[in-house]
Structure formats: structure tokens, C-alpha cells
Amino acid sequence: MTKAAVCSAEAPAAIGPYSQAIRAGGFLFVSGQVPLDPRTGTLVPGGVAEQTQRVLDNLAAVLRAGGLTLAEVVKTTVFMTDLGRFAEMNEVYAKAFPAPAPARATVQVSALPRGAQVEIEAVAWGGG
């Protein structure tokens, strides 16, 4: 099996030594997306709901670059700095994924890059 990087100009550029996504076989592994505006590279204004929407937009952009959509996502991991804001994140998240929703883990972390409140990574299946 070979692996290949997938990159989108419609999502923030990697801010470290990693790829936005890696295709391996029928899977696309999307690196954690934070709520940066891809045009400015700055954190979007607002709270958890606004940040979650930007994260999902960034995630969708990387998936599109790999020829996939949110409908092909099979697993996500959501990182939050405050699980007390889970309901706000979950309301936005639920609108993004058609049934059946992907498997998911949600964890609280002490900090995220650039002061983000939410980060989401995903695995999508495009192999048929």
C-alpha cells in the first residue's frame, strides 16, 4: 500500500511537520483541524459554536481535496478545552454529518494550538 498527501488551499496550511491529510488505500486520514480562517490564518471570532463550524468547514475542504465529503467520514475525534461547552459543539456537529453519524470520541484537553477551543480529526472511507 502506498500513501499520498492530500492538501487544500481552502483549509489552513499545516502549522507543523505534518500533512493536512494522508490517503492510504481507501482511507483518508485528516489531521486535526482548528478554527483558523484559511485566508487570514487567524482564529475565527466567537465561541465554541462558531469555532466548531469553522473546524467543520476546514475539514470539509480537506475532504473535498481528497474527493470525499463529510458523508464518507467513519470516525472523528473531537478535542475540546472545556467539556462544559459540549452541547454547543454537539449542536453544530450534529448538523454536519448525515446518518449514520460517524463513530466519535470526545476528550477534554488542557490546550489546543493557537488558543482554539475545538479541534477535530477524522478518518474517511472512499474505497467503495
Side-chain angles (χ1 to χ4, degrees):
M1 172 174 45
T2 61
K3 69 178 188 176
V6 172
C7 185
S8 172
E10 296 177 14
I15 55 176
Y18 62 89
S19 299
Q20 285 179 331
I22 291 288
R23 180 178 304 288
F27 288 99
L28 186 65
F29 296 86
V30 183
S31 294
Q33 296 296 305
V34 293
L36 297 179
D37 181 319
R39 292 170 290 131
T40 65
T42 60
L43 199 65
V44 297
V48 169
E50 292 82 7
Q51 287 197 10
T52 300
Q53 187 59 60
R54 180 74 256 171
V55 166
L56 291 167
D57 292 345
N58 292 344
L59 182 61
V62 176
L63 288 163
R64 272 192 309 278
L68 300 173
T69 69
L70 291 170
E72 282 86 36
V73 172
V74 295
K75 169 71 168 79
T76 64
T77 304
V78 179
F79 303 93
M80 298 183 68
T81 57
D82 181 1
L83 282 178
R85 312 295 298 266
F86 178 85
E88 295 169 63
M89 178 281 298
N90 203 47
E91 184 177 343
V92 176
Y93 180 99
K95 294 174 186 173
F97 292 102
R104 177 177 80 183
T106 304
V107 296
Q108 181 169 313
V109 297
S110 62
L112 290 168
R114 306 274 179 100
Q117 298 175 64
V118 180
E119 179 175 350
I120 301 174
E121 66 177 18
V123 178
W125 170 250

